[in-house]
Amino acid sequence: MKKISRRNLSVMRLGRCVAFLAAAAFLLPFTILLMVADQQYNLSYNYKRVFYQEYVFDNGSHDEGLLTRDKFLEVGSRMDARREYLRNECSRLGLDSSSHKAYAWEYLINRQYHVIWCNIFKAASTSWMYNFNLMANYTAAFLNRTKEVPLELARKKYARPTVEMIRKAQGDSITFLIVRHPLERLASAYNDKIVHAWPKSFHDQMGKRIIKKYRKTNQKSAPTERYPMFEEFVTYVLDETKMKRTRDMHWTPYTDFCTPCKFNFDIILKFETLDEDQKFLIQMARLQEIIKPEWRNSGKGTNTLHNINHLYSRLNKSQLDGLYNLYKYDFLLFNYTMDSYYEIVQKDNDNNHG
């Protein structure tokens, strides 16, 4: 009986080993799939980048005016650093948790060329709306002569996506966004939409309401401009925020627009380095034959910086604090600072324009 029991015990142990190995062999592919899925966007992006470096350059299809191999590698390292910084900040601030909702409203997905863009107004949006319309097979001749609003043209070809649509398309696409210093973006929106508002337009009517509510006309030094002064505009924006009213899309924080902690971005372009950054994107997405790295409605140059300094010199520290609180996550997630602006604004006990 003992020999039979030992033999049975050995058979049982062998059976268990076989069952364990069979289970491991069955589960291994699923484990690998889960690991791959977890790193999918990194692998996809890195594969495309390696392909570009090793094939496109080596086969002589590098276009004049785009990045050289060395510059391409340099900008690629910059993009790696930006992605890592964003990922770390999202985790540190808890913005990547399930308690935060993802918003897909402002994304455009181009399945033909495998690119996904979150449109941030006043951050090269005019240029890239034009580019996405080209990729939607509108001709340059048509786009240059039409009076239709570029965004409305684009939405005829790019339906508003869902979060699920974006995540599905990311598997074989390059996802990007363009960011800009939040206070530069606000000043640009003010100049474009408030100072130069079309007569009787939505923003022209908004400007009249701002003047009526915030301008003190009984003072000798009261401004006579027909548009709101910058300090009046800022007061309006901060008050609308306090009242939790829906903000205009041209100065809504872009972290509210794009929820960048809820999607994986391959390329983060910055307004400050846009010339190189968009060349990198065009080459990565192999769009050289479709679009050119140019700016439309560009506001670069020393005059722009001078204008921004002039505008913010009209504010006081309390107003600047309010703007930082409004754009806090835009600052933190994309490594922008307020330091130089506190040197421009008035002290709180100085004459307050707002």
Side-chain angles (χ1 to χ4, degrees):
M1 289 291 293
K2 279 188 176 181
K3 287 185 179 181
I4 294 173
S5 297
R6 286 175 182 171
R7 188 180 298 122
N8 289 342
L9 186 60
S10 298
V11 170
M12 289 173 62
R13 286 175 177 170
L14 179 60
R16 287 174 184 169
C17 289
V18 170
F20 174 79
L21 291 172
F26 178 76
L27 292 173
L28 182 60
F30 293 98
T31 305
I32 293 173
L33 282 173
L34 287 173
M35 293 172 63
V36 168
D38 188 49
Q39 300 295 326
Q40 183 179 18
Y41 89 98
N42 275 329
L43 293 173
S44 175
Y45 171 75
N46 289 331
Y47 171 79
K48 291 168 190 168
R49 188 160 148 200
V50 168
F51 171 83
Y52 198 91
Q53 292 167 204
E54 296 184 357
Y55 179 81
V56 178
F57 279 111
D58 292 344
N59 285 271
S61 55
H62 171 64
D63 290 352
E64 187 177 351
L66 295 178
L67 301 178
T68 64
R69 179 194 289 271
D70 289 344
K71 180 58 71 172
F72 182 85
L73 293 172
E74 177 188 323
V75 178
S77 296
R78 186 159 72 212
M79 295 302 166
D80 291 343
R82 287 176 184 173
R83 283 201 324 280
E84 185 66 20
Y85 185 92
L86 174 61
R87 192 179 301 121
N88 289 340
E89 285 298 288
C90 287
S91 177
R92 183 179 72 84
L93 297 167
L95 297 177
D96 54 359
S97 68
S98 59
S99 61
H100 291 274
K101 186 178 179 181
Y103 293 104
W105 188 250
E106 292 301 332
Y107 283 76
L108 291 89
I109 302 173
N110 186 292
R111 296 303 294 141
Q112 182 179 356
Y113 296 102
H114 301 282
V115 285
I116 303 171
W117 171 45
C118 183
N119 170 33
I120 296 172
F121 293 94
K122 307 311 301 174
S125 58
T126 300
S127 299
W128 278 92
M129 194 63 69
Y130 179 84
N131 291 339
F132 264 70
N133 278 331
L134 285 177
M135 288 188 283
N137 299 317
Y138 291 114
T139 66
F142 169 77
L143 293 175
N144 291 333
R145 72 170 183 267
T146 185
K147 300 298 182 183
E148 290 193 64
V149 177
L151 178 57
E152 292 178 2
L153 281 175
R155 285 303 175 194
K156 292 178 181 179
K157 302 293 183 88
Y158 302 101
R160 298 277 185 185
T162 63
V163 172
E164 292 71 23
M165 288 168 63
I166 293 173
R167 288 180 175 153
K168 183 177 180 181
Q170 282 190 306
D172 63 356
S173 299
I174 291 175
T175 307
F176 75 96
L177 82 168
I178 305 169
V179 298
R180 183 179 189 177
H181 192 288
L183 299 191
E184 283 189 20
R185 177 173 170 253
L186 180 67
S188 177
Y190 166 74
N191 279 321
D192 187 24
K193 298 300 176 182
I194 301 298
V195 175
H196 297 106
W198 287 97
K200 299 182 180 179
S201 68
F202 171 79
H203 288 101
D204 182 50
Q205 297 301 316
M206 176 189 290
K208 290 176 180 177
R209 292 196 302 272
I210 293 172
I211 290 173
K212 184 177 180 180
K213 183 173 182 179
Y214 296 102
R215 184 163 294 177
K216 300 173 183 177
T217 55
N218 58 342
Q219 294 181 353
K220 289 183 179 180
S221 59
T224 58
E225 284 82 355
R226 294 184 178 180
Y227 55 84
M229 303 305 293
F230 188 59
E231 61 272 22
E232 295 169 338
F233 168 71
V234 168
T235 302
Y236 162 78
V237 170
L238 294 178
D239 281 353
E240 291 292 288
T241 300
K242 279 182 193 173
M243 299 297 292
K244 297 184 178 180
R245 294 185 180 132
T246 302
R247 291 178 291 263
D248 187 282
M249 60 190 178
H250 294 89
W251 49 82
T252 296
Y254 44 77
T255 44
D256 292 345
F257 248 44
C258 298
T259 52
C261 294
K262 302 300 291 184
F263 297 101
N264 294 316
F265 283 92
D266 299 306
I267 300 179
I268 300 167
L269 299 87
K270 285 195 170 184
F271 203 79
E272 298 78 11
T273 53
L274 188 57
D275 284 326
E276 289 182 351
D277 292 356
Q278 66 182 358
K279 287 177 182 177
F280 178 85
L281 170 61
I282 288 168
Q283 288 171 253
M284 271 293 300
R286 303 183 70 192
L287 297 172
Q288 299 95 314
E289 302 302 319
I290 310 300
I291 60 179
K292 301 300 177 186
E294 61 181 353
W295 283 25
R296 293 173 172 267
N297 194 29
S298 173
K300 292 194 300 181
T302 54
N303 289 336
T304 300
L305 182 60
H306 172 77
N307 184 44
I308 289 172
N309 289 345
H310 170 71
L311 291 177
Y312 282 95
S313 70
R314 302 184 64 87
L315 304 185
N316 58 42
K317 181 179 179 298
S318 295
Q319 290 171 308
L320 197 60
D321 288 341
L323 290 178
Y324 178 77
N325 290 330
L326 172 57
Y327 295 108
K328 178 180 177 180
Y329 291 133
D330 289 1
F331 279 100
L332 294 176
L333 295 179
F334 298 98
N335 200 19
Y336 286 112
T337 68
M338 293 276 284
D339 297 346
S340 61
Y341 286 86
Y342 279 108
E343 299 171 4
I344 298 172
V345 298
Q346 304 170 35
K347 295 179 181 177
D348 282 343
N349 59 357
D350 287 349
N351 181 36
N352 182 3
H353 291 283

